[in-house]
Amino acid sequence: MASSSTVTQETTAEEDLAFWKGRIEREPAVVLELWRAAFRKRSGRSNIDNTELWTITIAISFLSQAAGSGENKFVNGRPWAEPKTARVFAALRKNGLCAVCEEIVKQPDFFDLFLPFTIAVLDIIEAICVLELWLPVVDVSEVKSLGECVTRSLWAHKDYFLEGGPILDAPPEYGGQKEFSVRLRNTVVDLLAPFLFELAHKQNWGAQDDLRRIGLFCWLHTEGNEADILPTHIFKPILPLDTKPDPSMIDMERGPLSEVIRFTTEEAVPTYGAEPILRRLCQTLRAPWIVDAKLVALMQGVSLPILDAKMNAKLASTGLLLAWRDAVDRQFRDGTDVTSNWQVLDYTLQVFSVITIDVPIADGSAHLVRECGVVELVSRAVRMYPELGASEKGSALKECLRSISAYKKFAAAMNMRSGKNTLRKTFKQQMHREWYPTLQYLRSQSRSNIGTEKLLLAWDDFGKAVGLSEEQEKAKHAREAKKAAAERAHHCAWKECRFNEEKHPMPTTLRACSGCGVARYCSRECQRKDWKTGHKIDCRRLREAEGAFV
Ligand SMILES: [Zn+2]
Ligand SMILES: [Zn+2]
């Protein structure tokens, strides 16, 4: 007897673990009951006080993670765990793994017991979500109920994710309290949350608001971490990004968007304030890797929430509109997907024209005209229209006409001001640059398209509303083009070349780009560099602009 008790005491943690792993395979139901019982008997706040609870927990956690992670093989394109692990995990699920997890997560002291335990349980739940997404095995409602519980519990303990939160006795092997809150946050933000969000959308969970709260919270508290966190995941609970637009989406009164708007106005803004949210959004918009589909998804997601009254008032002062405008430029410069170009422009015009109409000029459109070059954006959209695919043309025409009409109203307001008013002058200058070339471009496009015709009429009207006359504009542009051509003739267009500023000593004119005939270069080297850094895009526009005067 004595010797056997000595053996038990000397059993190492690894042997304990091996023992429980074996037992899970043989008697999953029994282990789950023992786990539940050990949890109910929990005492103190360390793993030493709760040896059995801790050992069973990590045994289940190891097995769950093996079943739900990188050790997977792929079968028919779907991940499939090593058969034995998968079978054992399925047996745990069948015998009530979700129910035990739910009971544990529901207890108010779940986050206070000892944090390695909390994290191990969250890891188990993550594995349940992952496997549910890949291979729905047992019962949807079980996972849904567990998911709703865990989101509620996470939200109730949100302070624990913050440095200086109530975690006081994090064990030294985890680096103390600060390290621990970081670890806990990573577990939730990087691992658990994305899967929770995905499942919640797939299975239409009820706890949407709890998910949105956690999403917003995680995003706000991971500043400058754009490279590690997918905004599409973080935004998903706040904004139904993965939902294909359908009629209910557009229904602001009842659809998912109405929930997003309500959440923004009633919760997000009152809890965190409009400014911190917008400043955080500036960072996300400026992340260099957010282009193409990612940028479209982001803009789609935030375009309505930022039009909330309190946010709307801070769009200029927080730098959000500038960050937005820079993101548009990044898309056109770095994007590889042409259809995204249009979509980005489309969301931008939607947001900008609402601001122009709804916000006092001083806070809204003045900033858009002065700092964000909005006239050029509207002009760009109008020029893109003739080339869009048939499926995009319908909504694109509506958006272009809406923007033109918004800025026609703005023009009317400007006409009331004195001719010396600087905003009025800036606006007119921009219109001067854009209006006539775009008008000519539209005329050059096929007249067989009724949309292009409508746009042409609206654009023509727009210029007249600003007080531009076609004859005068044509003459002005021709004069300017001639003057600019004379200036360009002896200067290299590559802005870093010394002959960009300085006049080239060669008596004859420099060689022109064969694409546009406008840009001139002193050498092939300069031309190559300019092409790579932007002329590739400008070339076509310059050619079209030149065409307007021929
Ligand atoms: Zn040069
Ligand atoms: Zn060119």
Side-chain angles (χ1 to χ4, degrees):
M1 283 307 268
S3 70
S4 104
S5 106
T6 316
V7 168
T8 311
Q9 273 167 21
E10 281 173 4
T11 306
T12 65
E14 262 121 83
E15 282 165 358
D16 272 346
L17 197 56
F19 167 78
W20 282 108
K21 277 167 98 174
R23 196 148 182 208
I24 292 169
E25 281 168 30
R26 292 189 309 273
E27 319 170 278
V30 177
V31 173
L32 282 174
E33 276 323 302
L34 288 170
W35 192 33
R36 191 200 295 271
F39 179 71
R40 286 180 179 168
K41 280 193 313 219
R42 67 194 180 278
S43 68
R45 296 184 62 187
S46 84
N47 49 350
I48 299 146
D49 304 333
N50 297 280
T51 326
E52 190 168 79
L53 174 63
W54 177 230
T55 320
I56 302 176
T57 306
I58 44 174
I60 295 176
S61 167
F62 283 178
L63 178 102
S64 307
Q65 288 183 73
S69 78
E71 292 170 34
N72 289 321
K73 296 183 180 76
F74 279 78
V75 177
N76 296 331
R78 296 162 89 198
W80 180 252
E82 188 251 311
K84 190 176 155 196
T85 318
R87 211 173 51 238
V88 179
F89 183 79
L92 276 177
R93 280 287 317 272
K94 206 179 280 170
N95 285 285
L97 177 63
C98 284
V100 184
C101 286
E102 192 174 321
E103 179 181 334
I104 292 173
V105 167
K106 261 185 182 162
Q107 304 313 311
D109 65 344
F110 171 57
F111 280 84
D112 294 307
L113 198 51
F114 52 103
L115 277 153
F117 170 77
T118 310
I119 290 182
V121 174
L122 292 175
D123 283 341
I124 296 170
I125 296 171
E126 180 207 332
I128 293 173
C129 290
V130 172
L131 284 159
E132 183 71 13
L133 275 171
W134 291 338
L135 333 146
V137 258
V138 193
D139 177 11
V140 171
S141 65
E142 249 194 337
V143 180
K144 191 170 152 178
S145 166
L146 171 62
E148 289 174 2
C149 256
V150 74
T151 50
R152 228 161 280 144
S153 175
L154 285 169
W155 179 246
H157 294 91
K158 63 179 187 302
D159 294 352
Y160 285 63
F161 303 88
L162 299 175
E163 279 173 35
I167 302 168
L168 298 173
D169 55 352
E173 69 266 30
Y174 283 92
Q177 190 232 339
K178 187 178 162 189
E179 281 298 301
F180 217 103
S181 56
V182 171
R183 252 192 66 133
L184 185 64
R185 196 161 68 200
N186 290 349
T187 302
V188 173
V189 176
D190 294 346
L191 304 171
L192 182 58
F195 296 115
L196 277 177
F197 300 157
E198 217 168 319
L199 258 189
H201 279 264
K202 206 170 150 189
Q203 301 183 346
N204 197 20
W205 291 0
Q208 295 282 327
D209 274 355
D210 285 303
L211 278 164
R212 284 194 187 96
R213 289 177 190 126
I214 292 166
L216 183 64
F217 176 83
C218 291
W219 175 63
L220 282 172
H221 291 289
T222 45
E223 224 163 306
N225 207 6
E226 271 11 278
D228 297 329
I229 291 169
L230 287 175
T232 38
H233 283 147
I234 300 304
F235 274 112
K236 213 177 269 183
I238 319 175
L239 320 144
L241 289 187
D242 58 345
T243 319
K244 295 247 160 32
D246 63 44
S248 75
M249 288 276 297
I250 297 147
D251 185 347
M252 305 267 188
E253 303 292 312
R254 279 166 301 161
L257 281 182
S258 70
E259 284 171 38
V260 168
I261 295 166
R262 187 198 49 70
F263 177 75
T264 308
T265 311
E266 291 173 18
E267 289 217 34
V269 172
T271 311
Y272 295 105
E275 285 192 45
I277 296 174
L278 291 172
R279 285 190 204 285
R280 181 73 186 89
L281 187 54
C282 284
Q283 284 188 326
T284 307
L285 277 167
R286 289 192 186 281
W289 60 285
I290 297 185
V291 284
D292 293 332
K294 288 196 183 86
L295 185 60
V296 173
L298 179 65
M299 287 185 167
Q300 181 197 18
V302 298
S303 60
L304 278 171
I306 63 168
L307 294 174
D308 157 82
K310 288 220 171 69
M311 299 252 235
N312 208 331
K314 303 282 181 192
L315 293 178
S317 63
T318 50
L320 185 101
L321 294 173
L322 271 180
W324 189 293
R325 168 67 218 227
D326 289 347
V328 175
D329 288 342
R330 188 175 65 241
Q331 172 61 35
F332 278 78
R333 191 184 60 237
D334 302 341
T336 52
D337 171 20
V338 194
T339 56
S340 295
N341 284 357
W342 170 254
Q343 288 173 305
V344 162
L345 203 50
D346 191 11
Y347 284 117
T348 304
L349 290 184
Q350 282 179 31
V351 169
F352 285 12
S353 57
V354 171
I355 293 168
T356 301
I357 296 165
D358 292 352
V359 180
I361 288 177
D363 304 319
S365 30
H367 181 78
L368 287 176
V369 168
R370 281 206 178 102
E371 316 289 336
C372 305
V374 69
V375 175
E376 189 272 316
L377 287 180
V378 178
S379 172
R380 195 192 301 192
V382 168
R383 280 161 170 268
M384 276 179 89
Y385 175 81
E387 283 161 42
L388 295 175
S391 61
E392 282 167 318
K393 270 200 158 89
S395 68
L397 179 65
K398 242 170 79 187
E399 201 44 58
C400 286
L401 291 174
R402 197 161 79 119
S403 295
I404 293 175
S405 125
Y407 287 97
K408 245 172 91 175
K409 280 189 196 133
F410 177 75
M414 285 299 103
N415 289 341
M416 310 289 284
R417 298 191 175 186
S418 129
K420 285 182 187 157
N421 180 283
T422 56
L423 181 60
R424 183 177 172 178
K425 275 190 186 164
T426 309
F427 182 60
K428 202 163 174 183
Q429 271 163 19
Q430 293 184 359
M431 280 300 289
H432 163 67
R433 252 198 318 270
E434 298 297 329
W435 182 65
Y436 181 72
T438 297
L439 189 69
Q440 285 305 97
Y441 176 75
L442 286 175
R443 288 217 174 106
S444 73
Q445 293 305 302
S446 158
R447 289 295 186 100
S448 58
N449 185 291
I450 189 147
T452 311
E453 280 291 286
K454 278 188 184 162
L455 261 188
L456 178 59
L457 281 176
W459 189 255
D460 194 9
D461 252 20
F462 184 25
K464 287 179 181 135
V466 179
L468 303 179
S469 106
E470 193 173 339
E471 281 306 299
Q472 282 173 10
E473 290 305 301
K474 184 177 178 178
K476 262 196 211 165
H477 273 275
R479 265 198 318 273
E480 279 169 16
K482 223 172 138 187
K483 203 174 137 204
E487 268 171 24
R488 275 196 308 268
H490 302 280
H491 291 273
C492 177
W494 168 235
K495 54 192 176 304
E496 281 173 35
C497 175
R498 64 180 279 209
F499 299 116
N500 183 261
E501 285 278 303
E502 215 174 287
K503 192 176 171 187
H504 200 280
M506 200 166 67
T508 54
T509 57
L510 298 181
R511 267 172 43 128
C513 161
S514 59
C516 57
V518 175
R520 290 175 182 272
Y521 302 96
C522 73
S523 63
R524 278 197 178 282
E525 182 62 15
C526 284
Q527 180 169 15
R528 204 178 52 80
K529 282 180 184 158
D530 194 35
W531 182 261
K532 276 190 170 169
T533 54
H535 187 65
K536 194 175 163 186
I537 294 155
D538 299 338
C539 189
R540 189 168 155 200
R541 198 171 145 80
L542 284 169
R543 184 176 62 219
E544 288 162 5
E546 273 304 273
F549 315 110
V550 182

